[in-house]
Structures are given as structure tokens and as C-alpha cells.
Amino acid sequence: MEQLIESKLIKADKAFSVWRKVPFEERQKLIAKAAEILKNNSEKFGRIITTEMNKPISESIAEVEKCALMMNYYAAADNILKPEKVESEFAYSEVHYAPKGVILGVMPWNFPFWQVLRFATPAILAGNTIVLKHASICFGSGNAIEEVLLEAGLPEGIFQNLEVGHKAVKEILEHDAVKGVSLTGSGKAGGEVASIAGLNIKKSLLELGGSDAFIIFDDANLEEAAKAGVKSRLQNCGQTCTAAKRFIIDEKIENEFLPIFIEEYKKYEIGDPLHKETKLAGMARPDLADELEAQFNRALENGAEIIIPLERISENEFKPGLIRVQEGNPILKEELFGPLGMVMIAKNDEEALQMANDIPFGLSNSVWTANKDRQLFFIENLESGTVNINRMTSSDPRFPFGGSKASGYGTELSLLALKEFVTAKTIVGN
């Protein structure tokens, strides 16, 4: 292992021995200060995001502001990690929550600030220290986050950005100082990292891909659903795990809804990501565009029909595409990470549910209906970490976020996230 990385891991471990004893409320004050710095400099940090991965600047600024909102949520949160008294016959009868230590974060490029801080904030507040392996195109974002936390007053060693490639992850995770890992990324990357963590008996949290359903019924507000559906599919150029990817439409409204949806879809045109009015920019890298184009062609080879063609206009830019897909098309087992949506037609509620669930993923579905019984049917039966009713998917600091099936395990956001990287220690006796 490189001497610099070794020294940073040792530094993180030494910082942990002090940080774990800092009162929860004192940690909260520092988190609040970091949130203030982010909010006051959202355009500066947003420009870093856009420069690194092409996100429209308005979305990048919103990402930074959302980070500040989330951090303020934790800065004001109840301390659920206080020792808990348990009624028993013993003099000592408590549960204590002990932070685990140095936690490795392996984070992606699509939300370079949000993904990192969504994981790191509750972990740090719980008393852990963090080392970050960011995506190779986002080292600038990782360094900026480290600088923000230092400026806010967090001691050195609490959060460190490691400028390393993915091949270094195994050795870092196997290091004695590292006690757990949180990964947001592909299923392949998640499986590899979870295997290393498992072999070394270390805690892992995985937030992986999705192919979320956006289900529209005849009693929905069709105009509102169309606008929300297109935004959900095309924001961040479709490079979002929780984006709507499969539009399952009640056959009774196919002829009414699709024209509205298509008209809305065509409003998203490629623009300069540094212009604030731009809603759609290029993908983060040319190789990602290559992969999406290959998936589009495979879908067509297996019977998909073009509604709006996916047109490549540069090495990383597309005019957004939309295809009609039948059950059984292998593309339904994959995640489309880019500006390409899929339309499916369902005969009834049961078929819509079957279509929604018949994939490897289970992240965050969306159902559009005014019928309360129908809402309850999907709430109870959709196999996903989140079910949205008459709204597009968007994470909220107050609510748990995580997936089922191949979309991963563990909880981010909400107060529950504070307990992901702690050990529940039983204290019992006389």
C-alpha cells in the first residue's frame, strides 16, 4: 500500500479515538457550520460538479443546497444514540451505541456531493471517521468536501479524500484500521466490495442500481404525471438510480396519455451545462454513452419498438429516446443509465404490479392514481425500498432511503442511518 494512503488510514484511526468521545451535540454544531458553508457557496461548488461530470449547473447548485438541507436535518436531530435503559432485574441494564471506527466510502460520479455527504454525515455524527474513494472524475468534488469540513472546524483525520483508483479499494478495505464500507454504485461493484467486506467480517452498506417503475392509471392527473415522469427520467441526463425508467401505462389511457407524455419528453433539448436555463446536458463520459447506445440497439434486436429515437449527436450527448418494450425483452433485466425510457402497457392493476416487480431491482417505484384502495394495493405489494404516491421519486432526509433485491441493503437518511455504523453494546449485571 502506498505510504501516503497508509498514513491517512492511521491518521483516521487516531482521529477516531478522540472523535468518538466528543459529545453528540458538539459534533452537531460542526455539521451545522459545514451546512452553512455549503449553502453560502452553492454556486462555487455547483460549478465543480458541472465541470467534472456535465450536470446542468442549476441541478448542480440544487444538489449542493440539498446537501446543506440534509446536514441541517442531522444538526438538529434527536440523539437516538444515547444509552437506552432496559427494564430488568439487574442494576446495570442498558444498551449503548458505540461507533465502529474508520469507514470507507466508495462513491459514484452522478451526484458527487450528495452521495458522499448522504453517507458521511450520519456516520460522522455517530462518532466514526471517514476515508473516501471517489469516482476518478470527481476527485475535485472529494477534495472540496474535505476542505468544507475542515473549514467548519472538524478535526483533521475525520474526513479524508483518497485520490486512488478502484484497484486500491481491496487493500484499503482489508486494512486493520477500516471497520466498514458504504458503497453507492453498480451491482458488479457492490458484489465485489461486499465480498471483500464479508471475507474480512466487516460491515457493508450497499446502495446499488434501479429500474424503477412509474405506473399511471386512468384516474390520475395525466398532465401532472407526464411532467413528473419526464423530469424523473431525464434529470441528470437520466443518470440517477432512482430515476423513472419503465413507464407502465393503463391500457385505458394509452391513447390519451402517450401524446401528452411525448410532447413533454420532446421539450428536453441538449444545452450548455453551464447555462442556468439548461435542463439537459451530455452524459458524464463517452464510454457511458457507448454503453447506453449498445443497450438501445440490443433492446431493438429483441423486439422493442421506437417511439422517439435515441439520437447520438456527439461523443457524450443524445437527443432523448423512448421505446415500447414487451415483457420478456432482456433489456428489462438491465439498468438504463442515460436519457432512454421504456414504455409498457398493462391490462389491469395485477398485470401492472407483475410488470413492476418482475425485475432484479427494487429501489423506488411511483404510482399515479386517486383511488385509495388501489394506492394501498401497490403500497403493500410493490417490491421496493420506497413507494411514491402521485409524486416522482426524490429522497428526503427525514425518510429512510435504501433498496431491496439487487438494489442493495442498509439504510441511508433519516435517524435510522445513525445506527448503520455503530455497535449495539449490551450492559447488564449488578
Side-chain angles (χ1 to χ4, degrees), residues 63-267:
E63 178 180 336
V64 177
E65 291 174 347
K66 186 174 181 179
C67 290
L69 176 73
M70 175 270 298
M71 295 176 83
N72 278 323
Y73 164 79
Y74 282 109
D78 292 337
N79 182 5
I80 65 167
L81 302 179
K82 290 184 293 190
E84 294 178 7
K85 299 283 187 182
V86 179
E87 289 297 323
S88 77
E89 69 275 24
F90 299 106
Y92 288 104
S93 187
E94 297 179 347
V95 178
H96 291 196
Y97 293 99
K100 288 187 176 293
V102 182
I103 309 299
L104 169 64
V106 182
M107 295 291 135
W109 45 263
N110 59 334
F111 289 90
F113 271 60
W114 172 251
Q115 307 279 24
V116 173
L117 288 166
R118 182 179 71 183
F119 139 70
T121 301
I124 289 171
L125 186 54
N128 301 288
T129 59
I130 304 297
V131 288
L132 169 67
K133 185 273 176 255
H134 214 325
S136 58
I137 63 172
C138 293
F139 288 161
S141 291
N143 288 330
I145 292 168
E146 181 174 350
E147 289 165 10
V148 166
L149 295 176
L150 288 171
E151 185 182 342
L154 276 82
E156 288 193 10
I158 303 303
F159 180 100
Q160 297 176 89
N161 183 46
L162 310 179
E163 294 192 11
V164 298
H166 69 273
K167 291 181 179 178
V169 169
K170 181 176 185 292
E171 201 169 357
I172 294 169
L173 185 48
E174 289 176 339
H175 194 281
D176 287 344
V178 176
K179 299 299 190 283
V181 60
S182 177
L183 176 141
T184 297
S186 69
K188 182 176 182 291
E192 291 172 355
V193 166
S195 296
I196 299 166
L199 286 171
N200 290 274
I201 322 298
K202 295 182 180 183
K203 171 70 184 285
S204 61
L205 186 157
L206 304 180
E207 197 275 276
L208 308 177
S211 188
D212 293 330
F214 192 99
I215 309 169
I216 311 102
F217 288 104
D218 59 335
D219 58 350
N221 182 321
L222 300 190
E223 288 78 13
E224 188 179 336
K227 287 181 180 179
V230 173
K231 181 179 179 181
S232 181
R233 173 65 282 202
L234 297 181
Q235 68 176 357
N236 200 23
C237 199
Q239 301 168 123
T240 306
C241 4
T242 57
K245 298 185 174 101
R246 296 173 301 132
F247 295 90
I248 299 173
I249 303 169
D250 183 342
E251 68 173 6
K252 292 191 287 295
I253 55 165
E254 176 184 355
N255 294 334
E256 184 181 0
F257 178 75
L258 263 182
I260 301 170
F261 187 64
I262 291 167
E263 182 182 359
E264 191 67 31
Y265 213 84
K266 289 181 175 179
K267 292 178 182 177

Side-chain angles (χ1 to χ4, degrees), residues 56-59 267-281:
I57 188 68
S58 60
E59 292 184 14
K267 292 178 182 177
Y268 281 69
E269 297 179 349
I270 289 286
D272 184 337
L274 289 171
H275 291 171
K276 288 190 175 179
E277 68 275 10
T278 295
K279 293 197 294 185
L280 183 70

